[in-house]
Amino acid sequence: MAEQRLVLLGVAASDAHAVANRLIAMHLRQAGFEVVNLGTCTPLPEFAAALRLHPGAEAVLIGSLNGHAHADLRELPDLRAKGELRRPVIVGGNLAVGQASAAEAERRLLDLGVDHVLRDAVELVPLLDSLRAKVAV
Amino acid sequence: MSAPSVVDFPMAVSPAAAAALPPWPEVVRWLRAPERRHAADVLRATRRPFVQPRCGVGDHDRMLELLGALEQAGPGLLSVTIDSHTRLGRFDTAARVLRERPADLNGYPLPAHGWERGRDLVAAVGVPLEVRHGSPEARDLFAYTLASGITSFEGGGIGYNLPYCKDVPLRDSLESWREIDTACGELAAEGVLVDREFFGTLTGVLMPPSTSLACALLEARLAADAGVRCLSIAYPQSGEVYQDTAALRAITALAARYLPAHVEVHVVLHEFMGVFPRCPGCAEALILFGALTARLGGAAKVINKTTQEASGIPTAAANARGIRSAQLGLSPLLDFIALDEGLIAEECGWIQREVAELLDPVLEGGDPLSRIVSAFARGTLDVPFSASVHARGSVVPGRDARGAVRYRDFGGLPFSPAVRAHNDSHLRRGRPDLLAVLSADINHFAAGRSCERCAADPTWRA
């Protein structure tokens, strides 16, 4: 029997956009993942606590549509320094306020320690597969 | 030094807000000044629908520029849209981001700026302002709003809870909004009419009209019971013009049935709130279409969208252009456009029946506030795609062949067999591959439906 793959999913702390979150959960479940969905308005420490509870999770997926991704994720370096959230953190959505450059928003998130920034949810399963292949090697 | 004037305000405000704000009698004196222009006056005077944009940026000077630029486009009211940190009561985070990188805020953090700057915003433009936000508990923000001289305030204990936060109990949000509405009643007694608007858009995507109207009417009823006299009820455009026209017209009939006769009710259309086309031409067509729908449905105002909707908060220029596009849709030039009144009447009848089946069990009984809380817990009231754990979110919507929004899954809603049969005659339920079907329904307008280039290549991006 194939091993059950598990991911943590949620929306950033100041963001209540639920629709994409629900659809991505549905999409991942259809693709065979077990999804622990922490839902909307989830602060990073809540993701960290969920990872302690589900250490088998292969990645932490954070959506952000309101442009506040950077402010909502600014505790990431501190939490990592404390040994928390030691899994690939993957962020996707509308990542900056206004019509600002997506590349700049992406760079600022990567500087914060976010491992991958996605523009489109269809890239998610292929990315998870490639991360898993790397771990397996 | 005297103690903070917490007791002065007719609602509980935090000690920090009470210390920062002027005393209540001074707030009332400011609001009563004859030179103040109030949103309620604009709503009352309107003959054709007017346009109101969303607008809010973090920096104060940029906010003044934005309001000034948008005023040139001729809106009936302007908005102060509040950032999401402030909405959730995280005033300290909003203040920190304001200091460090104001452009990172997705709205105007009124409490962080303070009420004096709020008065600057009011003084800067010739049309009244409304504070639009998304706060489940908004007493402090309302106090800052009034102290700023702003007398139009959006929100309610359902529509500003379920779509906007994860875990604020409905009882808490409803009770805190009751205090806001009670304060509006006290102001009405002083001669200051506060326009209270209810966000029927809820989670904004594929909202069945009866769910939208039921939630907004419940909030309106609680507000009227608490003393509010001027009520705006907002409905989100689904994009199917018969359904939307019928829903807007149903508001007046339902208000007559469920609200006391002494309140005034204004009908508001939210331009399409779902996934917007990236193609500027298709986006502009959708904006014009929404405004035309508002005129057909007899709305007082249109909350508009912009061609940059798909990519985030718009620039001032794009926002101004959106106002003008909506004004074209409202133009008397298009008054020759009329719909089949028979179809509208039929749709309107079913919407009213569905709303009655949702509302009557809640309102026939004891304290409506408690009955609302228990109805959401049981699922006899519900919203699709709830952000909050305090609604079941087990209702699943979908589009029928015409594009009208129906119930794909009723969840626990207490509909009669007749309503169920009518709904199911439009939308076959229980189709496989829910994800694909839902995605297609949500993206109904995303690829545009109005230009040849998008029709030929839906993946084309402007």
Side-chain angles (χ1 to χ4, degrees):
Chain A
M1 203 182 96
E3 183 198 346
Q4 179 61 55
R5 299 177 66 182
L6 174 69
V7 290
L8 302 185
L9 175 68
V11 186
S14 75
D15 194 339
H17 283 93
V19 179
N21 170 265
R22 294 294 168 79
L23 292 182
I24 288 167
M26 242 185 241
H27 171 66
L28 289 169
R29 284 177 185 135
Q30 262 185 14
F33 286 85
E34 184 184 341
V35 179
V36 174
N37 191 355
L38 305 172
T40 62
C41 300
T42 302
L44 269 189
E46 204 176 318
F47 282 101
L51 185 59
R52 288 197 298 274
L53 209 61
H54 303 279
E58 55 189 81
V60 177
L61 318 177
I62 304 177
S64 171
L65 285 171
N66 70 358
H68 283 181
H70 191 269
D72 285 343
L73 300 181
R74 69 198 291 273
E75 300 155 283
L76 183 58
D78 284 356
L79 287 163
R80 283 259 169 89
K82 290 178 192 153
E84 303 270 16
L85 288 172
R86 296 289 178 94
R87 288 295 182 287
V89 169
I90 303 171
V91 174
N94 281 343
L95 300 173
V97 171
Q99 309 295 316
S101 126
E104 211 244 320
E106 185 172 330
R107 187 189 53 72
R108 291 179 66 214
L109 288 171
L110 295 173
D111 287 349
L112 213 50
V114 170
D115 299 280
H116 302 275
V117 176
L118 295 186
R119 305 266 174 94
D120 193 326
V122 299
E123 300 165 22
L124 194 50
V125 171
L127 174 63
L128 290 169
D129 287 345
S130 76
L131 291 173
R132 192 169 193 240
K134 276 185 206 155
V135 174
V137 168
Chain B
M1 201 181 119
S2 63
S5 50
V6 185
V7 288
D8 285 358
F9 274 80
M11 62 201 164
V13 295
S14 67
L21 291 167
W24 177 246
E26 142 61 16
V27 171
V28 175
R29 220 173 11 253
W30 182 264
L31 291 171
R32 287 182 66 179
E35 65 270 26
R36 302 278 160 263
R37 297 198 60 221
H38 298 285
D41 301 331
V42 175
L43 287 160
R44 280 177 173 177
T46 186
R47 295 293 171 264
R48 297 183 83 81
F50 64 82
V51 184
Q52 178 183 349
R54 295 182 175 77
C55 55
V57 290
D59 182 73
H60 182 64
D61 290 334
R62 285 204 49 226
M63 183 70 191
L64 287 169
E65 286 165 22
L66 176 58
L67 289 170
L70 296 183
E71 188 181 17
Q72 302 298 313
L77 295 172
L78 282 164
S79 305
V80 179
T81 302
I82 304 294
D83 71 285
S84 342
H85 299 303
T86 300
R87 294 175 184 202
L88 294 174
R90 299 161 64 190
F91 293 179
D92 293 345
T93 304
R96 178 181 55 73
V97 180
L98 178 64
R99 279 193 309 274
E100 292 173 2
R101 258 179 95 104
D104 274 8
L105 288 167
N106 65 0
Y108 184 81
L110 177 61
H113 282 298
W115 58 274
E116 297 95 335
R117 284 188 170 180
R119 289 188 183 180
D120 288 349
L121 299 183
V122 173
V125 286
V127 294
L129 304 178
E130 175 178 36
V131 166
R132 308 182 65 84
H133 50 119
S135 307
E137 294 174 298
R139 288 166 297 200
D140 277 5
L141 182 60
F142 187 53
Y144 278 97
T145 297
L146 293 175
S148 300
I150 298 172
T151 50
S152 179
F153 197 65
E154 190 187 40
I158 302 169
Y160 265 17
N161 180 334
L162 302 180
Y164 283 114
C165 57
K166 177 151 74 176
D167 193 14
V168 175
L170 272 165
R171 177 174 294 283
D172 293 356
S173 60
L174 288 165
E175 285 179 351
S176 87
W177 280 94
R178 182 161 62 191
E179 288 186 33
I180 286 169
D181 292 333
T182 303
C184 294
E186 294 197 13
L187 282 167
E190 301 266 6
V192 177
L193 203 56
V194 177
D195 166 47
R196 287 275 297 106
E197 182 171 337
F198 304 98
F199 184 67
T201 292
L202 299 169
T203 44
V205 170
L206 297 178
M207 193 54 57
S210 54
T211 291
S212 163
L213 298 185
C215 291
L217 280 158
L218 284 170
E219 291 176 326
R221 171 66 174 267
L222 294 177
D225 288 350
V228 175
R229 306 283 285 275
C230 179
L231 305 150
S232 291
I233 295 185
Y235 163 82
Q237 181 192 6
S238 75
E240 200 287 305
V241 72
Y242 287 95
Q243 179 173 50
D244 289 333
T245 303
L248 289 170
R249 294 188 188 174
I251 290 173
T252 310
L254 289 163
R257 177 166 173 183
Y258 289 105
L259 301 177
H262 68 269
V263 300
E264 58 185 87
V265 175
H266 304 285
V267 175
V268 178
L269 179 76
H270 279 228
E271 294 249 16
F272 185 66
M273 291 287 281
V275 182
F276 235 71
R278 285 187 179 273
C279 162
C282 288
E284 203 145 21
L286 186 51
I287 292 166
L288 188 145
F289 176 45
L292 178 61
T293 304
R295 195 271 290 165
L296 290 164
K301 77 172 179 181
V302 184
I303 302 292
N304 81 318
K305 284 281 185 174
T306 74
T307 57
Q308 292 176 344
E309 213 52 46
S311 53
I313 293 170
T315 62
N319 205 340
R321 190 181 166 100
I323 295 172
R324 290 192 289 271
S325 305
Q327 286 164 343
L328 294 178
L330 299 170
S331 156
L333 267 182
L334 301 181
D335 279 355
F336 67 91
I337 297 175
L339 302 177
D340 179 335
E341 287 292 331
L343 267 179
I344 296 173
E346 193 194 338
E347 193 73 50
C348 193
W350 282 106
I351 290 171
Q352 290 183 56
R353 178 158 182 188
E354 288 181 15
V355 171
E357 290 183 12
L358 295 173
L359 288 191
D360 290 347
V362 180
L363 294 175
E364 287 164 6
D367 171 35
L369 192 152
S370 295
R371 292 175 70 88
I372 291 169
V373 175
S374 58
F376 276 105
R378 277 198 313 273
T380 53
L381 287 173
D382 202 356
V383 300
F385 306 114
S386 175
S388 166
V389 299
H390 299 286
R392 293 257 184 114
S394 55
V395 164
V396 182
R399 289 189 186 275
D400 70 12
R402 273 191 356 233
V405 176
R406 311 285 176 193
Y407 293 93
R408 193 177 292 287
D409 188 325
F410 297 110
L413 299 180
F415 286 136
S416 64
V419 159
R420 286 165 194 263
H422 171 259
N423 180 87
D424 295 355
S425 71
H426 286 273
L427 184 69
R428 274 178 299 133
R429 298 170 64 219
R431 282 159 63 182
D433 198 0
L434 187 59
L435 178 62
V437 174
L438 263 180
S439 299
D441 287 345
I442 288 170
N443 288 310
H444 189 67
F445 288 107
R449 290 189 164 249
S450 48
C451 89
E452 288 183 10
R453 187 161 183 185
C454 288
D457 179 8
T459 61
W460 174 73
R461 291 287 185 266

